[in-house]
């Protein structure tokens, strides 16, 4: 007979757990990470929605309105964007941070945005409710320590070629500085197969649920990179035990300055939320 996935027992931790004692699972409950009205790690399935980058006051206002009215609980929007192409739009910087914070306040949504450098952390933490460490910075250890010293919850994305052990070590850096409010995010890893932008590793969710008490969400947008492939993977993430999702949502995807092909429009987002039985009534 196959041993039950739940309840968890300490015997299921690998030897490498010695490297991440603070984030290792200790009991059956996951830890709860509260961001505004959203609580990651418990009964709630928390959906974060919003554009890849904040582009204008109008764009982020429309995105926020759509996310809020469909039951999204957190608004996202990049202001400092890590772009592979050095000439691509890299965000509005502090102006984008201010526009995001204002839109969040207007619609009662807490906001999350990526912090790229140690010297951005303090200022970002003044108006942004949750600090995102992106895939490309998962092993920027100085940045991990800096967000660990801040009082804000952290969304830590898995590096594009990081093992789960390395992801847990990265989370340990943050928690070890005194900030235990960390949410992990699987966003696809680089594999031999280029059919999708990255390869969504849903297997990571079952393993992480067993090994760590930290909440785990899935970002299918960056994982597949193609709009029409996102809805079924949202349902799959929910089925496999993720605590929530991060989705790129844009009021006019064709006009998006960043990650256009994977952006859901407001109607798509509403449909996805309905399919997850999350629509606010
Ligand atoms: C993002 O979420 O805006 C982003 C850049 O994602 P990732 O770090 O996973 O590539
Ligand atoms: Mn993006």
């Amino acid at each position: 007979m196959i041993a039950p996935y739940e309840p968890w027992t300490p015997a299921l931790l690998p030897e490498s757990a010695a490297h991440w004692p603070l984030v290792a699972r200790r009991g059956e409950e996951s830890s709860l990470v509260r961001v505004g009205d959203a609580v990651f790690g418990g009964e709630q399935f928390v959906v974060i929605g919003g554009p890849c980058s904040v582009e204008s006051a109008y764009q982020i206002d429309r995105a926020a309105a759509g996310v809020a009215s469909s039951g999204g609980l957190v608004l996202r929007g990049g202001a400092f964007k890590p772009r592979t192409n050095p000439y691509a739009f890299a965000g509005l910087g502090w102006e984008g941070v201010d526009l995001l914070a204002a839109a969040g306040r207007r619609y009662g949504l807490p906001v999350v945005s990526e912090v790229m450098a140690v010297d951005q952390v303090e200022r970002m933490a003044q108006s942004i409710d949750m600090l995102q460490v992106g895939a490309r910075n998962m092993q920027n250890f100085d940045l991990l320590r800096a967000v660990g010293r801040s009082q804000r919850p952290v969304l830590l994305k898995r590096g594009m070629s990081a093992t789960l052990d390395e992801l847990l070590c990265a989370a340990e850096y943050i928690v070890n500085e005194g900030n235990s409010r960390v949410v992990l995010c699987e966003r696809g890893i680089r594999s031999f197969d280029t059919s999708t932008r990255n390869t969504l590793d849903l297997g990571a969710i079952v393993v992480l649920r067993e090994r760590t008490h930290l909440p785990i969400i899935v970002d299918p947008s960056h994982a597949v990179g193609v709009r029409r492939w996102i809805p079924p993977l949202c349902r799959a993430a929910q089925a496999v035990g993720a605590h929530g999702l991060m989705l790129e949502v844009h009021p006019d995807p064709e006009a998006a300055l960043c990650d256009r092909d994977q952006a859901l429009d407001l109607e798509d987002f509403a449909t996805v939320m309905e399919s997850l039985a999350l629509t606010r009534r």
Side-chain angles (χ1 to χ4, degrees):
M1 200 182 102
I2 301 173
Y5 177 50
E6 307 270 10
W8 167 93
T9 75
L12 297 175
L13 287 180
E15 267 176 39
S16 59
H19 300 159
W20 32 269
L22 300 175
V23 306
R25 186 171 274 292
R26 288 183 287 264
E28 284 180 37
E29 300 300 313
S30 291
S31 49
L32 302 179
V33 177
R34 180 180 292 278
V35 186
D37 286 342
V39 183
F40 296 87
E43 291 302 303
Q44 222 173 35
F45 187 76
V46 179
V47 178
I48 302 173
C52 184
S53 25
V54 179
E55 297 168 0
S56 68
Y58 180 75
Q59 174 245 20
I60 192 64
D61 180 87
R62 290 298 82 210
V67 167
S69 70
S70 296
L73 292 179
V74 182
L75 178 67
R76 67 152 281 150
F80 295 98
K81 298 296 304 173
R83 299 306 303 272
T84 301
N85 171 357
Y87 305 111
F89 175 66
L92 296 180
W94 295 113
E95 186 193 349
V97 170
D98 292 345
L99 291 173
L100 177 69
R105 274 195 303 275
R106 213 171 302 127
Y107 294 94
L109 297 172
V111 295
V112 56
S113 196
E114 177 164 354
V115 58
M116 291 238 291
V118 172
D119 63 9
Q120 293 169 353
V121 172
E122 217 177 290
R123 182 163 167 194
M124 193 79 114
Q126 287 170 14
S127 60
I128 298 300
D129 303 283
M130 184 181 215
L131 305 176
Q132 178 170 324
V133 174
R136 290 157 191 80
N137 273 313
M138 190 204 85
Q139 286 191 317
N140 181 337
F141 301 113
D142 285 345
L143 184 61
L144 296 175
R145 285 196 201 91
V147 296
R149 287 190 298 270
S150 93
Q151 299 305 307
R152 293 294 192 185
V154 176
L155 181 63
L156 176 63
K157 300 190 83 173
R158 182 183 183 183
M160 60 184 75
S161 54
T163 64
L164 298 183
D165 232 51
E166 288 162 344
L167 173 61
L168 293 171
C169 282
E172 184 84 11
Y173 266 91
I174 301 170
V175 178
N176 192 37
E177 293 295 327
N179 186 353
S180 58
R181 297 197 290 162
V182 178
V183 175
L184 305 176
C185 180
E186 159 61 33
R187 45 77 75 201
I189 49 176
R190 193 163 273 190
S191 81
F192 58 88
D193 196 336
T194 53
S195 311
T196 48
R197 180 175 178 178
N198 290 287
T199 295
L200 181 58
D201 181 10
L202 284 178
I205 308 307
V206 291
V207 177
L208 288 169
R209 285 291 304 257
E210 191 171 281
R211 295 192 175 170
T212 179
H213 57 82
L214 299 177
I216 307 132
I217 67 168
V218 170
D219 169 359
S221 304
H222 290 92
V224 295
V226 175
R227 187 174 303 125
R228 68 180 179 281
W229 294 337
I230 293 171
L233 293 171
C234 293
R235 299 193 295 276
Q238 192 181 42
V240 86
H243 295 106
L245 293 170
M246 173 178 259
L247 291 171
E248 285 195 341
V249 180
H250 194 291
D252 182 8
E254 288 317 306
L257 297 179
C258 182
D259 287 350
R260 182 182 65 187
D261 297 342
Q262 67 195 35
L264 303 176
D265 67 20
L266 304 183
E267 208 176 302
D268 294 336
F269 181 70
T271 307
V272 167
M273 295 299 278
E274 255 171 58
S275 78
L276 298 169
L278 295 174
T279 308
R280 220 178 255 168
R281 296 192 195 278

